[in-house]
Amino acid sequence: MASLDTVLAAHRAYLLGWNVGEPSGPDLVTYRSDVPHAPLNGVLRATGRTPREALVEARRRLDGVPRMWWAGPDSDGGLADGLVALGAVEVAQMPIMTVEIGDAADAPTPAGLQISLSTDLDAFVPAYARVSGIPPDGVAAAIDREKAFAGNGTVLRLAGHLDGRIVGTAVAWLSHDLLTLYFVGTQPEQRRRGIGAAMTRAALDLAGDRGIRTVALTSTPVAEPVYHRLGFRTAGTFRLLTF
């Protein structure tokens, strides 16, 4: 099993692939995509600074875009509480979950669902944007950022088609000898059919074929039971904060 530090490094590497802002040092890791969606702009790590010092600098770098603070195990221990004291609001706690591919449970593919790699960003991005909350006026910017993605790793995009439409998505990020999953989602009218689990299992199989053994993701509270059934276990927690 990969260490939590490795999982966190892979997570930073993915979100930094979206960055079009200034480079950042290891003590205050920020990324700015300019997509009007808070999880695609934010602070990934803050160490060695007071919460107020980190806040002042982060505001300068991220001015004009919605953003998120990922207060996790690789930041100073008092960061989240210090930010709350400065007026931050905790919007979610997201478990960091991992599983060894060989230990993961199977998931049946719903009847008619065809899962394949996708390179059609003009269709793929609007599908995950609808699920993840990217506003319609931010979709074009998200497509542009995806086309220019510059992370230190490999991005594979899986689309689940049903009756000719994309009903499920998963972005597989191969970095640091890990698979990290993003944008796993199902269109609202197709939920509770097992599509999300099938998309996750397909990504695991794809990574396993490439010699990857460990999978990681950050889960919403709603999806956490699905990942537990697939064999994922919690390795840490992010506290997501915004001002």
Side-chain angles (χ1 to χ4, degrees):
M1 180 70 72
S3 70
L4 180 57
D5 285 345
T6 301
V7 171
L8 293 166
H11 177 67
R12 289 195 301 273
Y14 174 73
L15 287 174
L16 285 171
W18 287 80
N19 185 47
V20 296
E22 63 185 80
S24 55
D27 61 329
L28 186 65
V29 182
T30 60
Y31 64 107
R32 178 180 181 135
S33 70
D34 282 343
V35 177
H37 181 56
L40 293 178
N41 310 278
V43 182
L44 289 164
R45 182 183 189 187
T47 60
R49 304 186 186 214
T50 68
R52 186 178 296 279
E53 289 170 342
L55 176 60
V56 169
E57 176 61 14
R59 279 180 166 164
R60 183 189 69 79
R61 296 182 193 175
L62 301 170
D63 183 53
V65 293
R67 61 263 196 185
M68 195 74 70
W69 286 76
W70 300 76
D74 56 346
S75 290
D76 288 342
L79 176 66
D81 289 340
L83 293 172
V84 169
L86 294 170
V89 175
E90 184 173 308
V91 295
Q93 291 194 16
M94 296 184 67
I96 304 162
M97 307 183 77
T98 62
V99 69
E100 293 289 295
I101 291 177
D103 296 333
D106 287 332
T109 301
L113 183 69
Q114 301 291 324
I115 301 174
S116 60
L117 288 171
S118 175
T119 58
D120 184 1
L121 291 173
D122 292 329
F124 186 81
V125 174
Y128 77 57
R130 184 181 179 218
V131 173
S132 60
I134 297 174
D137 62 359
V139 171
I143 292 172
D144 288 343
R145 291 291 86 77
E146 285 273 22
K147 290 179 177 178
F149 188 87
N152 183 21
T154 300
V155 173
L156 301 173
R157 302 173 180 91
L158 286 166
H161 287 86
L162 190 64
D163 297 327
R165 295 179 58 248
I166 296 179
V167 296
T169 59
V171 172
W173 169 238
L174 307 181
S175 175
H176 295 72
D177 293 322
L178 292 171
L179 162 67
T180 313
L181 286 171
Y182 297 91
F183 294 116
V184 180
T186 304
Q187 296 301 305
E189 61 275 11
Q190 299 291 343
R191 288 175 181 162
R192 301 187 181 278
R193 299 182 58 183
I195 291 173
M199 298 298 302
T200 303
R201 182 67 242 193
L204 268 63
D205 292 341
L206 186 68
D209 291 343
R210 293 171 177 248
I212 301 292
R213 293 189 301 173
T214 304
V215 181
L217 53 81
T218 55
S219 175
T220 63
V222 171
E224 190 174 358
V226 175
Y227 295 126
H228 275 304
R229 287 195 293 271
L230 286 169
F232 284 83
R233 295 295 177 261
T234 300
T237 303
F238 281 116
R239 292 173 64 183
L240 268 60
L241 302 111
T242 189
F243 282 85

